[in-house]
């Protein structure tokens, strides 16, 4: 289409720009890209449980294990890195192992003082447990001596969760038949808190306390016997918790010094 000739006296540039300006869009201008928000819900959280469960499967299948524990003729495989992370004693032990590509076999830790292999299995179950759910099987040692072995392992290798399991078991199924034996275990391994809880139950139950007092085996744990005696005497008002009558009488005599003298003299004559 031909444009008309410019009118006389007007700039040519003005006439040429006028039709182009009329073709520009009249809508709002875009300041920048628009943000699009999409919600996919909460992200899945592992908190390390998947790793621990995977390690548990590996140790159950004996895969990638690099250390062995031997107790009472049975061998248990584990991972040095996991054991070292759970116990500072294991960490120091494994750091002392010779390093280098010498083709040496996996280290073997012989637990000569452990006579119940189930104690080693309980140690592994405790270490490879993620804590978010129950143990693969409830902690239930076959005997009091087996629980002793678990306590030995927990204290030797400083594994607090394992000691917690064995300590809590001491207060389960507690009767007058086994209470003295378990108090002996508390004294042997220094479980003061557990011992204190058991003694609290005994002093609150006079019938159970009477049965225990008649048991001749109590003479084998003099410290427990002494503690029980102190607790009973405190219940009777003896000790520093309650003022004695003699101290009260002395204070009363000091407050009435004029009358205390003659009464004291008469009491002395009567006694004479």
């Amino acid at each position: 289409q031909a444009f008309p000739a410019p009118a006389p006296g007007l700039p040519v540039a003005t006439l040429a720009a006028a039709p182009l300006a009329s073709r520009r869009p009249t809508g709002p201008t875009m300041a920048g890209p628009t943000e699009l928000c999409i919600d996919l819900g909460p992200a899945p959280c592992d908190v390390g449980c998947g790793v621990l469960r995977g390690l548990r499967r590996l140790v159950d299948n004996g895969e990638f294990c690099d250390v062995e524990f031997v107790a009472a003729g049975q061998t248990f495989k584990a991972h040095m890195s996991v054991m070292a992370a759970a116990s500072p004693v294991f960490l120091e032990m494994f750091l002392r192992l010779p390093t280098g590509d010498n083709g040496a076999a996996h280290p073997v830790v012989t637990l000569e003082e452990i006579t119940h292999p189930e104690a080693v299995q309980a140690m592994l179950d405790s270490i490879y447990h993620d804590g978010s759910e129950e143990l693969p099987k409830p902690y239930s040692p076959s005997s009091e001596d087996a629980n002793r072995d678990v306590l030995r392992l927990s204290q030797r290798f400083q594994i607090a969760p394992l000691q917690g399991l064995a300590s809590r078991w001491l207060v389960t199924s507690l009767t007058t038949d086994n209470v003295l034996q378990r108090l002996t275990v508390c004294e042997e391994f220094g479980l003061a808190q557990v011992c204190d809880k058991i003694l609290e139950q005994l002093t609150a139950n006079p019938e159970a306390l009477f049965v225990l007092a008649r048991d001749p085996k109590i003479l084998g744990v003099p410290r427990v016997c002494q503690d029980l005696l102190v607790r009973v005497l405190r219940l009777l008002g003896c000790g520093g918790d309650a003022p004695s009558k003699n101290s009260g009488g002395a204070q009363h005599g000091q407050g009435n010094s004029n009358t205390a003298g003659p009464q004291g003299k008469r009491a002395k004559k009567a006694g004479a």
Side-chain angles (χ1 to χ4, degrees), residues 27-51:
T29 59
M30 300 294 291
T34 301
E35 182 179 359
L36 303 177
C37 298
I38 301 175
D39 185 10
L40 295 179
C45 183
D46 192 338
V47 299
C49 295
V51 175

Side-chain angles (χ1 to χ4, degrees), residues 216-234:
K217 296 180 182 179
I218 196 173
L219 299 178
V221 280
R223 185 175 301 178
V224 172
C225 186
Q226 180 183 13
D227 199 348
L228 274 175
L229 181 60
V230 171
R231 290 171 181 268
V232 172
L233 290 175
R234 284 179 178 174

Side-chain angles (χ1 to χ4, degrees), residues 144-145 148-149 151-152 155 181-191 221 223-224:
E144 301 280 348
D145 290 336
R148 273 189 170 95
D149 277 351
L151 285 170
R152 290 188 182 95
Q155 293 192 350
Q181 185 178 12
R182 296 191 178 184
L183 284 172
T184 305
V185 174
C186 292
E187 185 174 353
E188 178 182 355
F189 292 95
L191 306 176
V221 280
R223 185 175 301 178
V224 172

Side-chain angles (χ1 to χ4, degrees), residues 170-235:
L170 289 173
V171 297
T172 59
S173 303
L174 195 63
T175 66
T176 53
D177 292 334
N178 59 20
V179 63
L180 188 58
Q181 185 178 12
R182 296 191 178 184
L183 284 172
T184 305
V185 174
C186 292
E187 185 174 353
E188 178 182 355
F189 292 95
L191 306 176
Q193 183 179 4
V194 180
C195 182
D196 188 67
K197 294 296 184 181
I198 296 176
L199 293 178
E200 283 182 4
Q201 291 295 320
L202 285 174
T203 53
N205 191 332
E207 294 182 0
L209 183 60
F210 182 73
V211 173
L212 184 63
R214 297 184 61 184
D215 190 343
K217 296 180 182 179
I218 196 173
L219 299 178
V221 280
R223 185 175 301 178
V224 172
C225 186
Q226 180 183 13
D227 199 348
L228 274 175
L229 181 60
V230 171
R231 290 171 181 268
V232 172
L233 290 175
R234 284 179 178 174
L235 290 176

Side-chain angles (χ1 to χ4, degrees), residues 3-253:
F3 293 98
L10 292 178
V12 176
T14 302
L15 292 176
L20 295 176
S22 62
R23 296 181 181 180
R24 291 178 181 175
T26 58
T29 59
M30 300 294 291
T34 301
E35 182 179 359
L36 303 177
C37 298
I38 301 175
D39 185 10
L40 295 179
C45 183
D46 192 338
V47 299
C49 295
V51 175
L52 289 173
R53 290 171 185 168
L55 289 172
R56 176 73 194 191
R57 288 193 296 269
L58 291 176
V59 75
D60 288 342
N61 297 328
E63 298 174 342
F64 301 104
C65 296
D66 51 6
V67 63
E68 295 180 353
F69 296 92
V70 179
Q74 293 191 22
T75 301
F76 300 85
K77 296 181 179 181
H79 305 93
M80 281 196 294
S81 57
V82 177
M83 305 302 290
S87 164
V89 180
F90 281 135
L91 175 61
E92 184 178 358
M93 180 190 301
F94 297 151
L95 287 176
R96 292 180 179 179
L97 294 176
T99 58
D101 189 10
N102 53 7
H106 295 162
V108 178
V109 180
T110 303
L111 305 170
E112 297 180 354
E113 74 281 8
I114 303 303
T115 58
H116 296 79
E118 64 184 273
V120 182
Q121 186 61 55
M123 177 181 68
L124 296 178
D125 290 341
S126 174
I127 291 177
Y128 282 86
H129 179 228
D130 55 33
S132 62
E133 51 189 25
E134 296 295 331
L135 289 168
K137 56 181 179 179
Y139 177 75
S140 180
S142 60
S143 64
E144 301 280 348
D145 290 336
N147 191 64
R148 273 189 170 95
D149 277 351
V150 174
L151 285 170
R152 290 188 182 95
L153 290 173
S154 67
Q155 293 192 350
R156 175 182 173 182
F157 299 111
Q158 300 179 20
I159 307 174
L162 183 61
Q163 179 170 322
L165 286 174
S167 299
R168 284 190 291 270
W169 184 83
L170 289 173
V171 297
T172 59
S173 303
L174 195 63
T175 66
T176 53
D177 292 334
N178 59 20
V179 63
L180 188 58
Q181 185 178 12
R182 296 191 178 184
L183 284 172
T184 305
V185 174
C186 292
E187 185 174 353
E188 178 182 355
F189 292 95
L191 306 176
Q193 183 179 4
V194 180
C195 182
D196 188 67
K197 294 296 184 181
I198 296 176
L199 293 178
E200 283 182 4
Q201 291 295 320
L202 285 174
T203 53
N205 191 332
E207 294 182 0
L209 183 60
F210 182 73
V211 173
L212 184 63
R214 297 184 61 184
D215 190 343
K217 296 180 182 179
I218 196 173
L219 299 178
V221 280
R223 185 175 301 178
V224 172
C225 186
Q226 180 183 13
D227 199 348
L228 274 175
L229 181 60
V230 171
R231 290 171 181 268
V232 172
L233 290 175
R234 284 179 178 174
L235 290 176
L236 296 176
C238 301
D241 295 338
S244 62
K245 295 182 180 180
N246 293 333
S247 61
Q251 293 176 358
H252 179 74

